Amino acid sequence: MIYRLFTLVFFVIFNFTFSKEPIRLQNEKIVIGIIDEPFFNLSYPNIQSLNETAKFFLKDYMKLNVTFKNVSYRNLEDELESGKLDGVALIPKNHFFDKYLDFSDSIFSEELYVVSENHSINSLDDLNNKVVYTPYMKSYIEIFKSILDNNDLEAFPVPVENLGYYTDKLILTTNPVLYKPDYGIKIGNSSGVTIALANRYRDLIPLINHALTTKYRDLFLKDLASLNKAVSYNNFYTSLTSEEKEYLKNLPPIKVAYENKTDSLVSYKSQISGEYKGIAPNIFNILKNHLKIDFIDATNASDKNPENLKNKEFDVMVLSKTKERSKDFIFSKKIYEIGTYVINLDNSSSSSGTIGVLKDNVEEYLAKRYDVQGNIIIFNDTNSMIKALNNGKVGNLLVTNKEIFDSNKYNIIPFETIPVNLMFNKENTLLRDIINKAFNYAIDVRKAAEISQLERDTENKTIYLKNKEIRDILVLFSILFIFIILAISTYLYQERLNKKNLLKDSLTNLPNRFIFDKFCREQNSLTGSTFVIDLNNFKNINDSLGHEFGDTILKEFANFLKNIFIDSYIFRISGDEFYGFSFESQKEIIEKLKKYRDFCPTLYKNNITFNLGVSHKTANNSLATSFKYSDLAMLETKKEKINFYKIADEKFIEKMDRESSILSLLKEDISGIYPMFQPKYCIKTNKIIGAESLARYKSLELGAIGPFEFIPIAEKYNFIHKVDYKIAKESIIFIKELLDKNVPLDDFRISFNISMKTFKRDDLITIISGLLSYFRVPGKYIEVEITESIFVLDMKDLITKLKALKNLGIQISLDDFTAGHSTAGLLPLLPIDVVKFDKSLLDSLEVNQKKGKIVYKNLISLIKDLNFKIVSEGVETKEQLEFLEFLKVDYAQGYYFSKPISKEGFVTEVQIL
């Protein structure tokens, strides 16, 4: 193999060194797949398709003995796996085909877009929980999913053969111009398009790479540019009316005037060439080169204003649309946005409210929108305006060009962005409409801005390099100057910081957070008790009776703390939060604080109480840690609402640390969440009729974590919906796997729980229906379990969502019946199918068998009369099963039959039965 490769490399070097013709290779016949992709197949007169370019490259230029076979993305993997293809032309590089193919270097790159004719898309967030139609290309779908996942979003890609049938939906494409969308966003970049050969032909890849590098990549890129240009022109031209086409046919060159007073990215005069550059000139260049609309730069040394346009000295200006200008002119769509800035002197008086603007500029109209006429001073030129600011004759300036103002002397405050448009005389409606259509179909304004920024950066760099010799001399002085300034600034900053840290809270005269932080850093060797206090009902009092009254309450409570904790450290951290450290015991601190009613009559009269958390500070733990546990204990009292205080003892700390560890793991990644399946049995037939999908969690750090731990944490910190949706997704995938294995699933359902918080979410129905649609699983195989606690929700919204689930074919089950709230009266109103009796009902038989049987029998009679099926949970003995069989209960679930098992074990159980 090494000898063969050496020989191959030798012939490559020899032939490319001594011959201008590509190498003639004598190989066996190679079958190359040509992707049947709309853009790659696209051609125009005198412009061949990219697929044709690829064919010519491989057969005529590379001299390979090759035949070509059209193949779709959908069938590509099957064709490769069966060995019917020896390679593929113009395929994105991706790891899915690594086992079949070796890839050349990238020929050209692709960008991924999501576009639509009807659905407005402004950001990635607009794709959340939406169905997006895609090509059958796994790499595109993987990139799409990764981008969504990185932004904590989810969508449901559905591969289709022809995206053209779905343009009214959301589609994922690398060539949005084919579909003329009204809406769309770029979501990322695809891997480069390559030529790939089967592994056995990998020795040819260096030859292909060399040919691409020396000549053919440029030819591909040239054809690609020609196609894009042709598509743009075709989209643009076909959008024109017959009147617009006729007008365009006889249109003389358009005279364009740029503002020569501005120096923004929209338009600026190049210091190198003297020509106008920027977004607007680039747009007119595209109009000329791509759409055959010629233009002439009519800008000269004299200032151009709207009066010149009205006098028809030129045809179009680059200006912002304002109410005043709209009286005499019409405007194109926005081409860019420029920022405006308020400029004032660093030492100016804040009372000076006058504002200076340039005459007839958009800043004048913007100032009039926000201020009265008497405060606005209009200037004819920039120099006189800046002079007036420096002399105190005007308090502020409103400008678009901030670069001319020294930030060391002036305050530069961003104010508002202004859209920039092309402005026409009113009789030029046809020209305006034609250019607007060019923006719709042929000009990517965003790319024009990116190109303009790149050009400007390049020019600035060139100017920078020209002046480098002079600047190098200045750098030596600048370094010394900056060093001195930094030294002085560091000294002043440290002095200011020291003074700031010594300040106390101005209202209560207690040490503030700065001193608290310093105390925690410097006094870690202390032992005693830390405590955290948070006032209740203070905000309502503050809002209703005013801040002055609120300040009185805070001062009264602060004085109380200072008087009873004389030898302690008390801090006001923020608002109504107070922290303290005392050498006294936790019990003594609590007893002292109980006396607040005697010392704080205003608090007592206005029903202001407080919550307290206390923790023991040892020499082994830091003050910051002890205060953290005190704070957590205080928060726990707010939730428990039993006592006004809580002591952070060892048991509490252990619980909080465990909860914190679990929370950190769950926040970082919920991939450790997985389902276990507890079978449900038909009592009459003793056959499995389904299973309940139960959430379990396992992490590398903490091992197995029971649902009694992680479920409450997920509910407490409001991401239980992620757990619910993960189990729902895994359950639906499991049904899909059973169907694919032809496991008989007559009257079979997998159930999963949807919590109360998840049921409150607006995306519930979208997510469940999207999962069923994406994995192509009928709803008849799914059962959603709800608990009695869910009935605290708005009943109308609840019933609407339950009916929506049933419309998908899903059954609804009421779980833990009789375990919590009494819902018997609601049963006739609910669109449910199954009632699950809580395990406690069976357990009650052990306490009082006679009464327990009466209760069970009557409940069964009630549920049967309502025509619901019954599942009895917690069956653990044969006697319990016989009792249920006697009462004709439908289904049973419990350890007597099976504990929750993995899906592999469950598949075995199902197939055995």
Side-chain angles (χ1 to χ4, degrees):
M1 181 65 190
I2 294 175
Y3 172 79
R4 182 183 174 192
L5 184 60
F6 175 83
T7 305
L8 185 63
V9 172
F10 172 81
F11 277 105
V12 170
I13 296 171
F14 181 88
N15 278 277
F16 274 97
T17 303
F18 296 98
S19 174
K20 292 183 180 180
E21 292 296 320
I23 299 170
R24 182 179 298 276
L25 300 168
Q26 301 297 329
N27 296 81
E28 70 261 28
K29 181 178 284 188
I30 301 174
V31 180
I32 297 292
I34 297 294
I35 300 294
D36 190 11
E37 201 276 340
F39 186 76
F40 291 170
N41 286 331
L42 194 66
S43 64
Y44 288 92
N46 302 319
I47 304 175
Q48 68 179 4
S49 71
L50 291 173
N51 276 338
E52 288 300 319
T53 303
K55 290 179 182 179
F56 183 86
F57 170 66
L58 292 169
K59 188 170 186 177
D60 296 286
Y61 187 78
M62 294 301 298
K63 307 299 183 185
L64 296 176
N65 184 11
V66 61
T67 59
F68 299 101
K69 180 179 181 180
N70 288 338
V71 61
S72 67
Y73 282 136
R74 182 174 190 173
N75 298 326
L76 181 57
E77 188 166 5
D78 291 340
E79 294 280 329
L80 290 169
E81 188 174 15
S82 63
K84 295 177 182 178
L85 295 178
D86 300 312
V88 187
L90 303 187
I91 178 175
K93 188 180 294 186
N94 62 85
H95 63 84
F96 295 105
F97 297 139
D98 277 350
K99 59 183 176 180
Y100 308 117
L101 300 171
D102 282 273
F103 296 89
S104 74
D105 294 340
S106 295
I107 304 173
F108 54 84
S109 60
E110 292 183 308
E111 296 177 330
L112 279 174
Y113 297 82
V114 174
V115 299
S116 177
E117 289 178 353
N118 299 333
H119 296 275
S120 177
I121 319 168
N122 298 305
S123 68
L124 279 175
D125 289 339
D126 293 331
L127 304 180
N128 197 28
N129 299 320
K130 299 293 195 306
V131 173
V132 178
Y133 295 89
T134 73
Y136 275 93
M137 174 50 69
K138 291 181 179 178
S139 60
Y140 295 159
I141 297 172
E142 185 180 66
I143 293 169
F144 176 55
K145 286 182 175 178
S146 296
I147 290 168
L148 290 173
D149 188 54
N150 290 340
N151 289 276
D152 199 22
L153 302 171
E154 185 169 10
F156 306 105
V158 177
V160 294
E161 287 281 8
N162 190 338
L163 291 175
Y165 296 145
Y166 300 90
T167 53
D168 59 329
K169 313 291 185 185
L170 297 171
I171 61 174
L172 179 74
T173 178
T174 55
N175 301 105
V177 292
L178 289 178
Y179 306 106
K180 301 182 183 178
D182 291 323
Y183 308 99
I185 57 167
K186 177 186 172 184
I187 65 164
N189 296 298
S190 171
S191 53
V193 174
T194 70
I195 290 171
L197 296 178
N199 301 143
R200 59 185 176 278
Y201 296 114
R202 61 168 53 98
D203 290 349
L204 294 175
I205 294 295
L207 305 180
I208 290 174
N209 287 341
H210 190 277
L212 289 172
T213 301
T214 54
K215 178 178 181 181
Y216 236 85
R217 181 180 286 107
D218 291 340
L219 294 177
F220 272 111
L221 292 173
K222 182 180 178 182
D223 286 350
L224 180 63
S226 298
L227 280 171
N228 279 321
K229 182 177 176 181
V231 171
S232 297
Y233 181 76
N234 184 66
N235 289 346
F236 164 71
Y237 196 74
T238 55
S239 72
L240 299 177
T241 64
S242 55
E243 184 182 10
E244 288 169 341
K245 289 178 182 176
E246 189 63 29
Y247 176 82
L248 191 60
K249 189 186 299 182
N250 301 309
L251 181 66
I254 302 167
K255 295 179 182 177
V256 182
Y258 307 112
E259 285 189 286
N260 54 20
K261 292 189 294 184
T262 64
D263 186 34
S264 72
L265 193 63
V266 176
S267 64
Y268 63 93
K269 197 166 187 177
S270 170
Q271 297 180 42
I272 297 175
S273 67
E275 297 177 349
Y276 275 90
K277 291 189 173 183
I279 296 170
N282 278 335
I283 285 173
F284 282 105
N285 280 327
I286 295 171
L287 289 171
K288 183 175 184 178
N289 297 328
H290 285 210
L291 306 181
K292 305 172 185 175
I293 302 176
D294 203 358
F295 77 97
I296 297 173
D297 183 356
T299 315
N300 52 40
S302 61
D303 290 347
K304 301 297 181 185
N305 58 54
E307 285 300 318
N308 301 117
L309 177 61
K310 190 181 289 186
N311 295 334
K312 297 184 172 55
E313 295 176 26
F314 42 83
D315 302 305
V316 58
M317 280 190 79
V318 182
L319 282 176
S320 295
K321 181 179 180 180
T322 66
K323 186 176 181 180
E324 289 298 317
R325 289 172 182 168
S326 296
K327 294 176 182 177
D328 300 313
F329 303 99
I330 57 176
F331 293 83
S332 74
K333 294 181 177 181
K334 176 180 70 178
I335 64 170
Y336 192 61
E337 287 185 340
I338 58 175
T340 58
Y341 304 87
V342 174
I343 310 294
N344 55 47
L345 288 168
D346 192 37
N347 59 353
S348 64
S349 171
S350 59
S351 62
S352 179
T354 55
I355 187 162
V357 293
L358 282 177
K359 184 179 181 181
D360 292 330
N361 271 33
V362 70
E363 299 97 294
E364 177 185 350
Y365 302 106
L366 189 60
K368 288 178 180 177
R369 188 194 308 166
Y370 290 101
D371 213 335
V372 296
Q373 185 68 44
N375 280 347
I376 301 171
I377 302 175
I378 299 173
F379 295 88
N380 291 319
D381 61 84
T382 303
N383 289 334
S384 60
M385 187 170 68
I386 296 175
K387 187 176 179 180
L389 176 66
N390 292 335
N391 293 335
K393 294 180 179 179
V394 64
N396 306 275
L397 305 181
L398 184 62
V399 301
T400 56
N401 186 8
K402 66 173 181 175
E403 308 301 329
I404 60 175
F405 295 94
D406 182 359
S407 61
N408 292 317
K409 180 179 180 181
Y410 300 96
N411 291 317
I412 303 172
I413 307 163
F415 184 61
E416 187 175 308
T417 57
I418 302 173
V420 181
N421 314 77
L422 303 181
M423 187 168 80
F424 309 83
N425 282 315
K426 283 194 172 181
E427 61 268 25
N428 278 344
T429 305
L430 278 174
L431 177 59
R432 189 274 311 272
D433 292 346
I434 289 170
I435 289 180
N436 274 344
K437 288 183 177 180
F439 290 154
N440 280 345
Y441 299 107
I443 298 176
D444 187 336
V445 176
R446 177 182 59 82
K447 281 192 176 179
E450 290 174 358
I451 292 169
S452 301
Q453 186 64 61
L454 182 62
E455 289 175 343
R456 183 152 200 178
D457 291 344
T458 302
E459 177 164 314
N460 289 339
K461 188 174 180 180
T462 303
I463 295 170
Y464 167 83
L465 291 173
K466 282 184 177 181
N467 297 325
K468 188 175 185 302
E469 209 173 300
I470 298 172
R471 198 177 69 258
D472 284 348
I473 297 172
L474 295 175
V475 163
L476 295 173
F477 295 100
S478 298
I479 290 173
L480 180 61
F481 177 76
I482 289 170
F483 176 78
I484 295 169
I485 293 297
L486 283 175
I488 295 172
S489 298
T490 302
Y491 173 77
L492 292 175
Y493 173 77
Q494 192 62 47
E495 285 295 304
R496 192 185 310 164
L497 189 62
N498 290 338
K499 288 178 182 178
K500 195 172 185 181
N501 286 343
L502 291 174
L503 292 176
K504 291 189 176 183
D505 175 51
S506 59
L507 178 65
T508 64
N509 206 32
L510 287 173
N512 60 17
R513 177 178 282 278
F514 293 103
I515 301 176
F516 170 77
D517 291 338
K518 185 178 180 182
F519 172 74
C520 288
R521 289 194 302 271
E522 297 177 356
Q523 302 295 333
N524 275 319
S525 60
L526 293 176
T527 59
S529 301
T530 61
F531 56 94
V532 171
I533 300 171
D534 183 76
L535 299 183
N536 295 319
N537 200 34
F538 174 74
K539 185 179 185 303
N540 293 334
I541 295 295
N542 211 25
D543 292 342
S544 59
L545 299 181
H547 292 281
E548 187 174 341
F549 187 77
D551 290 348
T552 301
I553 289 174
L554 291 174
K555 285 190 281 188
E556 181 180 87
F557 190 69
N559 289 332
F560 163 63
L561 294 177
K562 283 186 280 188
N563 290 331
I564 64 169
F565 293 110
I566 297 173
D567 297 323
S568 303
Y569 299 88
I570 307 297
F571 308 89
R572 183 189 176 204
I573 299 302
S574 64
D576 55 357
E577 276 192 313
F578 298 86
Y579 282 23
F581 174 85
S582 175
F583 297 101
E584 299 172 309
S585 69
Q586 298 163 10
K587 185 176 179 181
E588 287 173 316
I589 291 170
I590 294 167
E591 291 303 318
K592 280 188 173 184
L593 287 170
K594 283 181 180 179
K595 300 175 183 178
Y596 88 100
R597 295 179 181 178
D598 300 328
F599 294 89
C600 303
T602 311
L603 272 75
Y604 183 61
K605 182 179 177 181
N606 289 279
N607 195 31
I608 295 179
T609 59
F610 59 86
N611 291 96
L612 168 69
V614 190
S615 175
H616 179 56
K617 162 67 174 73
T618 66
N620 295 327
N621 65 336
S622 67
L623 276 166
T625 301
S626 184
F627 274 111
K628 181 186 79 170
Y629 290 129
S630 296
D631 188 47
L632 290 171
M634 182 273 293
L635 293 172
E636 197 75 7
T637 64
K638 287 182 176 289
K639 293 168 191 167
E640 293 178 349
K641 298 180 180 178
I642 299 172
N643 291 317
F644 79 93
Y645 69 89
K646 188 173 190 67
I647 297 173
D649 55 19
E650 288 185 10
K651 186 177 179 181
F652 175 82
I653 291 172
E654 185 180 343
K655 176 189 171 187
M656 289 296 104
D657 287 346
R658 172 79 173 174
E659 181 176 306
S660 177
S661 298
I662 295 172
L663 175 61
S664 297
L665 290 172
L666 286 173
K667 275 186 174 180
E668 185 177 330
D669 186 13
I670 65 163
S671 60
I673 301 286
Y674 66 96
M676 294 285 280
F677 299 92
Q678 186 168 32
K680 296 178 188 176
Y681 285 80
C682 175
I683 294 176
K684 186 175 181 180
T685 64
N686 196 34
K687 288 188 176 180
I688 293 177
I689 52 89
E692 180 179 1
S693 184
L694 300 167
R696 297 292 184 264
Y697 185 59
K698 190 171 185 179
S699 78
L700 293 174
E701 293 86 348
L702 300 179
I705 304 169
F708 60 87
E709 281 193 284
F710 73 83
I711 293 294
I713 292 172
E715 288 180 335
K716 179 178 177 180
Y717 293 97
N718 294 317
F719 54 86
I720 187 64
H721 65 283
K722 291 189 177 183
V723 177
D724 287 347
Y725 290 157
K726 175 75 182 297
I727 296 302
K729 181 178 179 181
E730 294 298 327
S731 301
I732 290 169
I733 290 172
F734 186 32
I735 288 287
K736 175 67 173 172
E737 291 172 352
L738 292 174
L739 291 171
D740 289 345
K741 292 178 180 177
N742 296 318
V743 175
L745 299 180
D746 297 335
D747 296 323
F748 180 93
R749 286 182 175 83
I750 294 288
S751 67
F752 49 81
N753 190 272
I754 297 294
S755 68
M756 178 182 70
K757 287 190 175 182
T758 306
F759 236 94
K760 288 170 68 174
R761 294 176 60 87
D762 293 335
D763 63 359
L764 171 67
I765 305 303
T766 304
I767 291 287
I768 299 299
S769 62
L771 288 169
L772 292 173
S773 173
Y774 179 67
F775 291 107
R776 299 181 183 178
V777 170
K780 68 178 182 178
Y781 296 116
I782 299 300
E783 184 177 302
V784 166
E785 296 193 10
I786 58 176
T787 61
E788 292 179 309
S789 63
I790 208 167
F791 300 118
V792 300
L793 301 178
D794 176 69
M795 188 56 64
K796 184 178 178 181
D797 181 61
L798 171 62
I799 292 176
T800 299
K801 287 177 178 174
L802 289 175
K803 286 181 177 179
L805 290 171
K806 287 183 67 66
N807 288 337
L808 296 172
I810 295 172
Q811 277 200 354
I812 308 298
S813 172
L814 177 60
D815 194 13
D816 297 338
F817 183 62
T818 74
H821 304 76
S822 176
T823 55
L826 295 174
L827 289 177
L829 305 176
L830 302 174
I832 61 176
D833 305 281
V834 179
V835 175
K836 295 184 74 176
F837 282 16
D838 187 65
K839 180 178 183 294
S840 60
L841 277 175
L842 276 180
D843 292 342
S844 68
L845 297 178
E846 303 298 323
V847 179
N848 190 319
Q849 191 175 65
K850 184 177 180 181
K851 289 184 179 180
K853 286 184 177 181
I854 292 172
V855 171
Y856 216 101
K857 182 178 180 181
N858 287 330
L859 283 174
I860 287 171
S861 177
L862 168 66
I863 302 304
K864 291 276 188 184
D865 287 345
L866 292 172
N867 203 28
F868 299 144
K869 296 288 186 183
I870 299 173
V871 177
S872 184
E873 294 183 299
V875 180
E876 296 181 349
T877 66
K878 184 177 181 182
E879 291 73 22
Q880 289 175 335
L881 178 61
E882 289 172 347
F883 171 66
L884 297 174
E885 190 174 9
F886 172 74
L887 293 178
K888 293 186 169 47
V889 172
D890 302 293
Y891 311 123
Q893 180 182 348
Y895 282 12
Y896 178 76
F897 301 101
S898 172
K899 291 183 178 182
I901 55 178
S902 67
K903 66 179 180 181
E904 292 79 13
F906 188 81
V907 170
T908 303
E909 290 286 331
V910 174
Q911 291 179 336
I912 290 173
L913 293 173

